[in-house]
Amino acid sequence: IEKTLDLNIYVDVYAVDALAQAEALDVKIKNGDSLGKLFGCIVSVKDVISLKGHKLSAASKILEGYVAPYDATVIKNLLAEDSIIIGKTNCDEFGMGSANENSIYGICKNGIDPTRSPGGSSGGAAVSVQMNTCLIALGSDTGGSVRQPAAFCGVVGLKPSYGRVSRYGLIAYASSFDQIGIIGNTCSDISKVFDVIAGKDPLDATSSSVLLSERPKSNTKKIAYFKSMVNHEKLNPQIKSAFDQTTQKLEIKGYSVESLDFSFLDYLVPTYYVLTTAEASTNLSRYDGVRYGYRSMDADTLHDMYINTRSEGFGKEVKRRIMLGTYVLSEGYFDAYFKKAQQVRQLIKAEIDKVLNAYDYIILPVTTDVAWKTGTNIDNPVEVYLSDVFTVLANLTGLPAVSIPNGLNTDGMPIAVQLMGKKYSEVELLELAETIL
């Protein structure tokens, strides 16, 4: 971590705590005690996940000075299996961004080429694994925020099925989309961590009671891809070439890979951003300067305090999404935008369920391009939003998806490919991904 300070990966490093944890684990060895499943595994945690006694800011001024009073369920599970938490990683403010440029702590840089973006919003998490500062990173994925940075940084990123991993202790962005995800160097590493953090949690009503042993199994080997995605006008030709090579490799291994039509491609990003901004405007209303975090001192009335606190505390991108979400939820536009987007979401889900009834997996690109130069799209938010076209599908449908490295482009930057599976099929998904790597 000390050797990579210039990359701005961490916002908080628990050097004293980590060494104390390691010493406690040494004692367990000496005493001959039973060791946890993740004994000695070094884990970094995105700055949106609660860790008792440590600051939690979501990379935002609005949570200045806030210290988490409890551990997130995923943290409890990791510590119970003898993991070591090494620190909190940089991210886009409240998980809103695709380049780790919307952070109160400044931008995080890609370790392969520091002039390029590491992706977002879990950019720090991806670089923490990429630069070998930890073995595993926990991030959050609302529309691709684990898979896209994993793709940009040449590591593996898993977004589990919605509800598979407890969200208790995760700062909410869009509650029906958010999912804690895992970034690692190998599929087997991620599988071991997933086994520990997945499961029903009484503190999260949306968490699933389906056991890992009850996961769906299939003896067939049928994989689908969507022609409209592979032939997308913005898809980098080198990413397309790598994708084609991977599908050929799968066919050689005995898989049936077939192309399908998908009629909802143009609706994915609009549907995603209408719904997530609506949920964000509601979730972020709790940050008002009254109960915790930053409070503006430049106010004569309670009303002014609310306005000034939120104006000074939130960054530009967060304000943009709150305003958009408030607009689509307003009385005059609720039916035209929010309700319509909910209906389209159900149509998309029905279409994908139909595909996965006939096929075992869907293979698709992760990003339209490799990691772009930092600052390239900072004044063009729509272009950034459109770059999520291949990742938001898994969040709209609540399905598991994994991003895995798929070669390098001519500049030496990572290319990735993405696999989606049936709900709760994470283990099989990682096994298939392992065969591709």
Side-chain angles (χ1 to χ4, degrees), residues 164-179:
R164 188 60 132 166
V165 175
S166 172
R167 290 184 294 115
Y168 179 74
L170 170 68
I171 290 179
Y173 161 16
S175 302
S176 73
F177 292 78
D178 296 339
Q179 187 59 75

Side-chain angles (χ1 to χ4, degrees), residues 178-196:
D178 296 339
Q179 187 59 75
I180 290 174
I182 309 166
I183 296 174
N185 285 303
T186 70
C187 294
S188 59
D189 283 354
I190 289 178
S191 187
K192 289 169 186 171
V193 175
F194 175 73
D195 182 56
V196 167

Side-chain angles (χ1 to χ4, degrees), residues 2 11 30 47 60 67 74 91 102 129-130 169 173 179 228 253 258 275 309 321 326 341 405 425:
E2 290 174 353
V11 302
K30 291 175 184 175
D47 188 31
S60 178
V67 175
V74 289
C91 59
N102 306 322
V129 173
Q130 178 196 54
Y173 161 16
Q179 187 59 75
S228 55
K253 289 177 179 288
E258 298 178 19
L275 295 177
T309 293
R321 298 195 193 194
T326 304
S425 66

